[in-house]
Amino acid sequence: MTAVSGTSEKVTRRAVQLEANFERIAYLGMRMSGIVLLVLAVGHMMIQHVLNSSTNLTIQFVAEQWRSWGWKSYDMLLLIFAFSHGINGLRNVLSDYIHNDKIMKGINVFLAVFLVVTILWAGFAIARFDPAAIQ
Amino acid sequence: MSSLMLTLRESMRYRGRSGHWSWLAHRISGLAILGFLVIHVWDTANAFFYPEVYQWSLAVFKHPFFGLGEIGIMAAVLYHAFNGIRITLLDFKPEWWKYQQKSATIVWVLFFVIFIPIALLMFSNIISHCSELAAEGASCWTIPRLSDFLQ
């Protein structure tokens, strides 16, 4: 990590040692997952909502895609990255406006549980989806 | 409640010039995407758990209201993605802070150049879907009923 000072003309960098606490990891995680999502989420929007269209989407089309483990993995990764990025983003926004530690702690616990339950529920659905069961 | 109104009003107030608008747009688009994502993920999971309910929801999402919402989500994802790159680059490259305003403008231009043709395409999909249904004597404005999909 570098600390930065100086005017916009001259930037001085010096190395600083930061402890690897949760907030710092979450901060870096938002940047890293953001880069991953640039490919996964924008790719998903282009493939499913531009090249294909919701106006002719059917469960048979979904079954056709989820016949391949490639698509299943893509959607699984998208689920994990997008949901955790989004939930952490919401946590950041809320912590900007809620200054009561007790309330914020309760919200954090709720969001963490919601994140895990959602990923397990939807991840289970993607993993176990059987295209043969769809006519 | 009054503190919420104060927060909303103060958030909207013009303070930090272009950077302030980028910050606000990033926040609103992020929240909008998350709101949509929660519905989208739990709905898509129904393809496995309750296929009939999923098929009903697919029919509901073909309604023009949802079609317009989908265009909105496309806008939110594209802006959030482009501005996210800008934030990440500036976070790791402090030397580029002198380009803050320029980079904010570049993001807006890039966003509009890519979003507008996509929005037009998506809008034309809604129109052709509605005219196809109209040709069959049906209407795209009818909201499908769940009971029609349950066997």
Side-chain angles (χ1 to χ4, degrees), chain B residues 14-22 101:
Chain B
Y14 189 77
R15 267 177 309 208
R17 298 201 272 188
S18 58
H20 184 72
W21 294 119
S22 296
Q101 286 198 332

Side-chain angles (χ1 to χ4, degrees), chain B residues 1-9:
Chain B
M1 201 61 198
S2 66
S3 89
L4 177 69
M5 293 312 292
L6 185 74
T7 301
L8 291 178
R9 197 171 58 239

Side-chain angles (χ1 to χ4, degrees), chain B residues 124-138 140:
Chain B
S124 75
N125 281 337
I126 302 173
I127 301 289
S128 53
H129 168 68
C130 284
S131 39
E132 273 167 34
L133 283 184
E136 295 166 12
C140 62

Side-chain angles (χ1 to χ4, degrees), chain B residues 80-91:
Chain B
H80 202 85
F82 297 155
N83 196 52
I85 305 169
R86 186 181 78 95
I87 292 173
T88 305
L89 285 178
L90 291 182
D91 272 357

